[in-house]
Amino acid sequence: MSIESPTSSIGVTELFQLLRDGAPRTRAQLAKSTGLARSTVAARVDELMRLGLVTPVEGAASTGGRPPSQFALNPAARVVLAVDLGASHATVAVLDLAATIIAERTDALDIALGPERVLTHVIEAAAALLDSAGRVNADIGAVGIGVPGPVEHSTGRPVNPPIMPGWNNFDVPGWIAQHLDVPVLVDNDVNIMALGERAMSRPGTQHLVFVKVATGIGAGIVSGGRLVRGAQGVAGDIGHVRVARGSEVPCTCGNRGCLEALASGPAIARSLRQAGLDATNGNDVVELVKHGSIDAIQAVRQAGRDIGEVLTACVSLMNPSVIAIGGSMARVGEHLIAGVREIVYTRSTPLATEHLAIVHSAAADKAGVLGAGVLAIEHALAPESVQRLVRG
Amino acid sequence: MSIESPTSSIGVTELFQLLRDGAPRTRAQLAKSTGLARSTVAARVDELMRLGLVTPVEGAASTGGRPPSQFALNPAARVVLAVDLGASHATVAVLDLAATIIAERTDALDIALGPERVLTHVIEAAAALLDSAGRVNADIGAVGIGVPGPVEHSTGRPVNPPIMPGWNNFDVPGWIAQHLDVPVLVDNDVNIMALGERAMSRPGTQHLVFVKVATGIGAGIVSGGRLVRGAQGVAGDIGHVRVARGSEVPCTCGNRGCLEALASGPAIARSLRQAGLDATNGNDVVELVKHGSIDAIQAVRQAGRDIGEVLTACVSLMNPSVIAIGGSMARVGEHLIAGVREIVYTRSTPLATEHLAIVHSAAADKAGVLGAGVLAIEHALAPESVQRLVRG
């Protein structure tokens, strides 16, 4: 039990939560926002500067000889590690507290190798990247990891992930902690992409749905500024909602007529093969579309309509202001999104679509690693984390 | 700008947020939970008792002569007003801070009379109820109001509500403020029912969907413990999602095949009339079912399946742990919910339904007024509100 006076730590944390957005503020502005006395503010700002979390900023109103009068978050105070694990790749990056990528690498890596081999690669890649960035383990504020399956976010353990053999219930944070003594946040890859998309192109958006269309189809949902994870961490699993068109098409999940069985890259390729075209996978579909194949363009457009059918329910349920379409199939250009828009704008209520933008992902293939970084930064800058730093 | 030391108010608020759940705690427990020094805790608890917010509780370990050693929220410290406005009724209630209804009345009242006449009734009813409860205006911590239409929650203004002529963009909190100097929270009635259902029967549930099936069909969604409101306040508007069965049935919204056009009380009554039965509205359907009409039972079961079709998408998107079915049509008993369960459990992924309960609303016709009360209590006990009390 602490016997210290609580004053300093509480005041410090409160001030820092104001400054963490990166906008410079004067002591007077900070005093006004918090209701703290100016003398208290001055002492707390000094403490944050001593910890390196806050830095003086030359303000427009600053006059020559005086000391700088504005303060802001110091993005270089800490770094975070961001890890984006896919079915067949691993991207590891080092980001500063402003979510700028300082160092990054992507390697081909099969998630089915199991957690120990995959995470060993992550630890080694992180060490090399930190070294190249001139930072050390003690600088790491947190680690964010996205994996291609459902995750119990509170424990960081994957839950029955269909394409991650050996990972079910594996204690990812516990394993990482054997090598790095930092907090580890684990989440589903599409959830993380939604965070990355929001951070990169729509930082003020409170209600955003990110849809990944690739080998599978999934969504990451931000509502009220927070990720929707659900009771078992499987929220946003739109790939297995039934669509009207394909009620007899079998899906890998054991059901029939699922969106993923009709509109994913492999599903579109299969429909094109049945029409006599040479398409083994989603990449082939993208190439056919780029070469102007009418059959491929029509198939992609129809896949967009199927996705739109499910997203119409999503619009009614969540009332988002942005739907961003990403994933490897988004490379087909406007044809997919045109189908989505066609159905969503036809079937939704006017109020729900009045201000709704349906757009291509701006973060694109950086969405995952940026989102993992944002997840880690959020944790590293949260009141509890700063409180721990202050208490030393 | 305050020139006081910040210590007292900040420490007080922090302690109160621990005590507001109503569970008794000793000073030592409070010191441990907050990290505050025991002397600080003692002074802050005294301050909260002076404000009447906290009260001593005789603990199990208390010994005869000593002063009481445990403290908890004093539910009688303030009251809140809860208002549940429907298409044709107004319920007004006074609740204590533990969400116990102290006084309540329901009157027939047409929402289409417009905001000034309806809210004048509310103010008069509230005055009479407060009087009967022996409380005064100064005791009111906040007012919660549910209305049958979309609301911009941040301003408390209804947004294009289809069945509330004269209410569009009306400043409900501003009008109330002319009569009562207290914060006013306004929300959609089904959102509020979700809060009421959770408070009454599932206080620990973080992910709950409340479905109201009556003249219309709508849902209130709690995700991660918070209401999902969406960008325009129309989240949960499931009545206008298309269902496969009725693609040609016209809906009042101007589209075709909407859930509400197939599975609401009036829609079921219409289908029964077409089969030669005497059913004008949802109440008639309920009576027919209670009298064992096979046609009515089959129609209600099919309506349940239609609702289940839309809720399957909801389960995939939100991954709730509880779906509670309420509204006047829930009075048909098990037939409606049986149809819902049939489709949701058939079509959803095993992981999403492993721990999913689909149940009748326990709060039933109290859901609205309880939810409005909970909304008001949440505000009245929030740190900012308590801070204002402390500063006087």
Side-chain angles (χ1 to χ4, degrees):
Chain A
M1 197 183 311
S2 167
I3 52 161
E4 295 170 2
S5 155
T7 325
S8 72
S9 63
I10 293 177
V12 166
T13 312
E14 203 178 37
L15 272 191
F16 183 70
Q17 293 308 308
L18 278 175
L19 287 164
R20 59 181 279 194
D21 66 4
R25 290 175 178 81
T26 63
R27 293 188 188 93
Q29 287 169 330
L30 290 167
K32 193 167 181 183
S33 300
T34 56
L36 299 179
R38 285 192 60 169
S39 57
T40 311
V41 167
R44 301 302 165 262
V45 167
D46 286 351
E47 194 167 352
L48 285 167
M49 285 203 289
R50 190 177 51 73
L51 289 164
L53 287 169
V54 160
T55 188
V57 177
E58 280 297 335
S62 173
T63 53
R66 288 196 202 170
S69 58
Q70 296 196 79
F71 306 89
L73 172 72
N74 173 16
R78 319 291 306 271
V79 294
V80 297
L81 289 181
V83 182
D84 172 29
L85 298 176
S88 54
H89 80 272
T91 299
V92 181
V94 177
L95 287 80
D96 71 14
L97 295 178
T100 304
I101 296 174
I102 302 171
E104 179 187 12
R105 63 183 270 187
T106 298
D107 299 280
L109 190 68
D110 186 355
I111 194 89
L113 289 172
E116 305 212 345
R117 286 179 64 185
V118 169
L119 294 176
T120 298
H121 167 86
V122 166
I123 292 291
E124 290 170 359
L129 289 167
L130 271 180
D131 197 43
S132 73
R135 308 295 299 236
V136 295
N137 282 359
D139 294 339
I140 305 174
V143 181
I145 304 180
V147 300
V151 176
E152 186 180 64
H153 181 68
S154 58
T155 62
R157 292 170 184 260
V159 182
N160 295 327
I163 64 162
M164 299 171 65
W167 289 78
N168 185 32
N169 205 30
F170 186 83
D171 181 6
V172 176
W175 193 94
I176 298 274
Q178 294 171 16
H179 301 81
L180 292 173
D181 181 25
V182 288
V184 179
L185 295 308
V186 189
D187 211 326
N188 171 264
D189 59 348
V190 192
N191 285 352
I192 273 180
M193 287 175 191
L195 291 183
E197 180 69 26
R198 179 167 173 252
M200 179 154 192
S201 69
R202 312 264 173 173
T205 299
Q206 297 295 300
H207 308 275
L208 176 146
V209 175
F210 182 94
V211 183
K212 179 186 173 189
V213 187
T215 306
I217 299 179
I221 302 169
V222 174
S223 176
R226 304 200 312 179
L227 268 179
V228 171
R229 294 192 171 98
Q232 274 76 44
V234 294
D237 187 15
I238 62 171
H240 301 284
V241 175
R242 187 184 294 204
V243 290
R245 175 169 75 98
S247 56
E248 290 314 307
V249 180
C251 180
T252 52
C253 75
N255 243 319
R256 288 177 178 275
C258 298
L259 177 61
E260 194 165 294
L262 285 153
S264 64
I268 301 172
R270 191 178 56 240
S271 75
L272 291 176
R273 278 200 304 281
Q274 287 167 356
L277 278 79
D278 184 16
T280 308
N281 54 37
N283 287 335
D284 298 334
V285 176
V286 174
E287 286 309 308
L288 283 167
V289 169
K290 288 189 174 169
H291 286 84
S293 158
I294 300 288
D295 285 334
I297 289 172
Q298 287 182 333
V300 163
R301 176 80 176 228
Q302 181 57 45
R305 292 190 194 106
D306 296 334
I307 295 165
E309 185 177 328
V310 175
L311 290 181
T312 301
C314 183
V315 166
S316 293
L317 280 162
M318 311 298 311
N319 183 206
S321 53
V322 177
I323 294 177
I325 310 283
S328 58
M329 292 305 294
R331 290 179 294 133
V332 295
E334 289 299 315
H335 304 294
L336 187 78
I337 209 168
V340 172
R341 288 185 178 132
E342 177 185 332
I343 298 298
V344 170
Y345 288 121
T346 301
R347 294 209 189 156
S348 303
T349 61
L351 193 55
T353 54
E354 191 179 355
H355 302 289
L356 173 65
I358 302 176
V359 298
H360 277 118
S361 165
D365 58 359
K366 297 285 184 218
V369 77
L370 267 178
V374 167
L375 193 70
I377 291 167
E378 280 297 310
H379 187 91
L381 300 186
E384 306 71 40
S385 305
V386 174
Q387 200 114 11
R388 263 192 301 275
L389 278 180
V390 170
R391 287 177 176 168
Chain B
M1 197 183 312
S2 166
I3 53 162
E4 297 169 3
S5 156
T7 326
S8 73
S9 64
I10 292 176
V12 165
T13 312
E14 201 178 41
L15 272 191
F16 183 70
Q17 293 307 310
L18 279 176
L19 287 164
R20 59 180 281 193
D21 66 3
R25 290 177 178 80
T26 63
R27 292 189 189 90
Q29 286 168 332
L30 289 168
K32 192 167 182 186
S33 300
T34 57
L36 298 179
R38 284 192 60 170
S39 56
T40 310
V41 167
R44 301 304 165 257
V45 167
D46 287 350
E47 193 167 354
L48 285 167
M49 285 204 287
R50 189 176 53 73
L51 289 163
L53 287 169
V54 159
T55 188
V57 177
E58 281 295 334
S62 172
T63 54
R66 288 197 202 167
S69 58
Q70 295 197 77
F71 305 90
L73 171 72
N74 173 16
R78 318 292 307 270
V79 294
V80 297
L81 289 182
V83 182
D84 172 29
L85 298 177
S88 55
H89 81 272
T91 299
V92 182
V94 177
L95 288 81
D96 71 13
L97 295 178
T100 304
I101 296 174
I102 301 170
E104 179 187 13
R105 62 182 272 187
T106 298
D107 298 280
L109 189 69
D110 187 354
I111 193 93
L113 290 172
E116 305 212 346
R117 287 179 66 185
V118 169
L119 295 176
T120 297
H121 167 86
V122 166
I123 292 291
E124 290 169 359
L129 289 168
L130 270 181
D131 196 44
S132 74
R135 308 295 298 239
V136 294
N137 282 359
D139 294 341
I140 304 174
V143 181
I145 304 180
V147 300
V151 176
E152 187 181 62
H153 181 68
S154 59
T155 62
R157 293 170 183 261
V159 183
N160 295 325
I163 64 162
M164 299 171 66
W167 289 78
N168 184 32
N169 206 30
F170 186 83
D171 181 7
V172 176
W175 194 93
I176 299 271
Q178 294 171 17
H179 301 82
L180 292 172
D181 181 25
V182 289
V184 179
L185 296 307
V186 189
D187 211 327
N188 171 265
D189 59 349
V190 192
N191 284 353
I192 273 180
M193 288 176 190
L195 291 182
E197 180 70 26
R198 179 164 174 254
M200 180 154 190
S201 69
R202 311 265 174 173
T205 299
Q206 298 295 301
H207 308 275
L208 175 145
V209 176
F210 181 94
V211 183
K212 178 187 175 189
V213 188
T215 305
I217 299 179
I221 302 170
V222 174
S223 176
R226 303 201 312 179
L227 269 179
V228 171
R229 293 193 172 96
Q232 273 75 43
V234 294
D237 187 15
I238 62 171
H240 301 285
V241 175
R242 187 183 293 205
V243 291
R245 177 170 73 99
S247 56
E248 290 314 306
V249 180
C251 181
T252 53
C253 76
N255 243 319
R256 290 177 177 274
C258 296
L259 177 62
E260 196 164 292
L262 285 153
S264 64
I268 302 172
R270 192 179 55 242
S271 75
L272 291 177
R273 280 200 303 282
Q274 287 166 355
L277 277 80
D278 183 15
T280 309
N281 54 36
N283 287 336
D284 298 335
V285 176
V286 174
E287 287 309 309
L288 283 167
V289 169
K290 288 190 173 168
H291 286 83
S293 158
I294 300 289
D295 285 335
I297 289 172
Q298 287 181 333
V300 163
R301 175 77 175 232
Q302 181 57 45
R305 291 189 195 106
D306 296 334
I307 296 166
E309 185 176 326
V310 175
L311 290 180
T312 301
C314 183
V315 166
S316 293
L317 280 162
M318 311 297 311
N319 184 207
S321 53
V322 177
I323 293 177
I325 311 283
S328 57
M329 293 305 295
R331 291 179 295 134
V332 295
E334 287 300 316
H335 304 294
L336 187 76
I337 210 168
V340 172
R341 288 185 178 130
E342 178 184 331
I343 297 300
V344 170
Y345 288 123
T346 301
R347 293 209 191 155
S348 303
T349 60
L351 193 54
T353 53
E354 190 180 357
H355 302 290
L356 173 66
I358 301 176
V359 298
H360 278 116
S361 165
D365 56 0
K366 297 283 184 218
V369 77
L370 269 178
V374 167
L375 193 69
I377 291 167
E378 280 296 312
H379 186 90
L381 300 186
E384 305 71 40
S385 306
V386 173
Q387 199 114 10
R388 262 192 302 276
L389 279 181
V390 171
R391 288 176 176 168

